[in-house]
Amino acid sequence: MTKVLALCLIVFSNLVNMSFAEGSTQHLRDIVIGRCWDYQRQKNVSSVKNCLGIWGIFSKAFAYKDPCNTSFEDYKPYFDEVGMETVRPNKSLFWSGTYKEAHLFSDFDSRYTTLEDTMAGWIVNGLTWCGAKSNTTDGIDYSSCPKCDYFTPFWGQASLKFAEKASGIVRVLLNGTRFDKQGHPTPAYKNDSYFGKYELPNFRVKEVTHLLVLVVHSIGGADLESCGNGSIKQLQDDAKKRGINTTCYDDPDDIEHLLCADHPTSRECLFFKNKMRNTSKVTQPEPSWKGWKILAITMSAVAGVCLIAVVVLLVCKTRLAKRCFTSLPYEKQTN
Ligand code: NAD
């Protein structure tokens, strides 16, 4: 009975998924125009670009077209207009399978710069868009987008242009605990990923002095791959073939600390708690200081009592002695 119910539930959820395949993001035009103005406001750019014009150029790349037939050439005018900022040396951050971690780490351009922190990437990051030949309103399909790869003409080109701007020490954040959608272990580095296909091959070897490979593992998860083995070694070899030296770090402290904010009690994050405990023992002066105070007061009181006792004894001794001397018979005789 439970098996039949579970089967019905799976069939029903599949039907729901099929009938509501993701189409272009609602209010796409407004979001693109709004993000475009806001990016320029936040970055305080000197020569402001017209966002209505940028929407026109962007939408022309895919509207009224078959999504499965768009090309790199279609999006070229968008990248020509928006451009790609030159990232500060040593600040470029690439990622693969670590979207959340990479952006937590980059902190939206304050620590490092990802493609999504550039104007070209920022404007459309996380949005879906595809054309519809039959839609006469705006040529965009909001009900569903096909299963073909209609995003590489945009994201492949964005990745390539972003990689070309990297210089100095470049970082890539990989996932050492990576599973695919079916739950099967999958390599941290693939040469057909955007990083492997459009970013690593387009680094300017003369400008990139070193590639830091940072491998993060899920807190509480398995270490499927780590520095020096599996696909991570493959990446290091591929970079070397391009003339780029690499250094690899497993779970670097700065990233681990950020991830531990969400898992403070897990085994991997206890280092922080232990350190806090030790520090509090060393730096908290209150209890020992109090102890010394009590001891000092007690000692003073005892010393005071002793002093009084000694004085009283001395006084008594002197008086007794006087009385004794005056009462001695031979003293009178001698006088
Ligand atoms: P990833 O495997 O985590 O993939 C990132 C996105 O691209 C995912 O949505 C994934 O489904 C899709 N994708 C990956 N490979 C694909 C392929 N062969 N065909 C179709 N879709 C594919 O990491 P990645 O592939 O290495 O891409 C991340 C790198 O590329 C980053 O460094 C970033 O600069 C750039 N990028 C960013 C985005 C984005 O949505 N912001 C998308 C693609 C690429």
Side-chain angles (χ1 to χ4, degrees):
M1 183 64 181
T2 26
K3 274 184 183 169
V4 175
L5 265 172
L7 202 69
C8 289
L9 215 66
I10 291 167
V11 171
F12 179 73
S13 67
N14 279 346
L15 278 173
V16 167
N17 281 342
M18 272 162 67
S19 51
F20 292 101
E22 196 187 8
S24 301
T25 308
Q26 295 291 329
H27 311 292
L28 182 68
R29 179 181 181 276
D30 293 343
I31 296 171
V32 167
I33 295 172
R35 282 191 185 177
C36 170
W37 287 128
D38 196 42
Y39 184 90
Q40 299 187 88
R41 179 192 64 84
Q42 287 194 55
K43 296 279 166 175
N44 209 6
V45 295
S46 49
S47 79
V48 178
K49 293 179 199 296
N50 182 318
C51 294
L52 214 56
I54 286 177
W55 165 254
I57 293 167
F58 174 68
S59 58
K60 206 174 163 198
F62 62 93
Y64 301 103
K65 289 182 185 170
D66 172 1
C68 303
N69 265 329
T70 51
S71 64
F72 272 52
E73 201 55 37
D74 289 324
Y75 287 99
K76 192 174 174 295
Y78 172 83
F79 289 101
D80 287 346
E81 179 58 28
V82 177
M84 182 59 74
E85 297 94 309
T86 300
V87 179
R88 290 161 294 161
N90 313 323
K91 290 290 176 190
S92 294
L93 177 66
F94 297 85
W95 53 271
S96 207
T98 52
Y99 179 87
K100 189 188 151 202
E101 294 80 0
H103 294 97
L104 205 61
F105 189 38
S106 75
D107 196 15
F108 290 97
D109 210 19
S110 64
R111 270 191 215 103
Y112 297 102
T113 308
T114 65
L115 170 59
E116 297 71 35
D117 302 321
T118 67
M119 185 167 169
W122 171 277
I123 289 178
V124 293
N125 186 29
L127 305 179
T128 303
W129 64 91
C130 65
K133 275 177 153 178
S134 54
N135 179 340
T136 49
T137 319
D138 61 1
I140 298 170
D141 196 336
Y142 296 98
S143 56
S144 69
C145 287
K147 288 241 160 89
C148 65
D149 176 11
Y150 56 88
F151 22 81
T152 294
F154 181 89
W155 284 113
Q157 195 162 175
S159 297
L160 182 155
K161 288 190 178 292
F162 180 61
E164 282 177 343
K165 296 286 181 180
S167 67
I169 299 167
V170 166
R171 289 165 176 79
V172 61
L173 194 59
L174 299 181
N175 184 350
T177 318
R178 198 164 181 189
F179 293 92
D180 62 17
K181 281 175 189 159
Q182 285 73 43
H184 302 126
T186 188
Y189 164 72
K190 288 186 211 162
N191 48 21
D192 66 347
S193 66
Y194 284 105
F195 175 72
K197 200 169 172 185
Y198 297 104
E199 296 181 326
L200 179 62
N202 287 299
F203 288 155
R204 294 167 303 163
V205 180
K206 279 189 183 160
E207 303 296 327
V208 173
T209 53
H210 210 85
L211 175 65
L212 291 188
V213 181
L214 311 174
V215 184
V216 288
H217 298 96
S218 305
I219 306 274
D223 286 10
L224 296 179
E225 287 190 321
S226 35
C227 290
N229 67 49
S231 69
I232 296 164
K233 185 174 183 312
Q234 182 62 49
L235 160 62
Q236 294 186 270
D237 292 345
D238 287 354
K240 196 156 195 174
K241 270 185 222 151
R242 286 222 59 218
I244 299 169
N245 287 324
T246 60
T247 307
C248 185
Y249 295 99
D250 282 310
D251 303 305
D253 283 351
D254 39 10
I255 304 175
E256 197 78 346
H257 289 183
L258 293 171
L259 301 184
C260 278
D262 289 333
H263 306 271
T265 54
S266 67
R267 185 181 52 80
E268 293 92 326
C269 301
L270 289 181
F271 65 92
F272 190 60
K273 215 163 184 188
N274 290 337
K275 204 171 172 193
M276 286 286 284
R277 281 207 197 110
N278 289 341
T279 315
S280 70
K281 266 183 195 162
V282 174
T283 56
Q284 226 178 18
E286 196 77 3
S288 52
W289 181 234
K290 247 185 188 171
W292 278 112
K293 251 185 176 174
I294 293 166
L295 191 69
I297 291 167
T298 317
M299 292 292 281
S300 310
V302 170
V305 170
C306 288
L307 201 71
I308 292 167
V310 168
V311 171
V312 169
L313 270 174
L314 277 173
V315 170
C316 281
K317 212 178 169 187
T318 332
R319 281 192 184 165
L320 271 173
K322 265 186 184 170
R323 257 187 223 162
C324 290
F325 287 135
T326 43
S327 61
L328 277 176
Y330 67 90
E331 254 186 358
K332 281 182 181 175
Q333 279 172 8
T334 49
N335 277 344

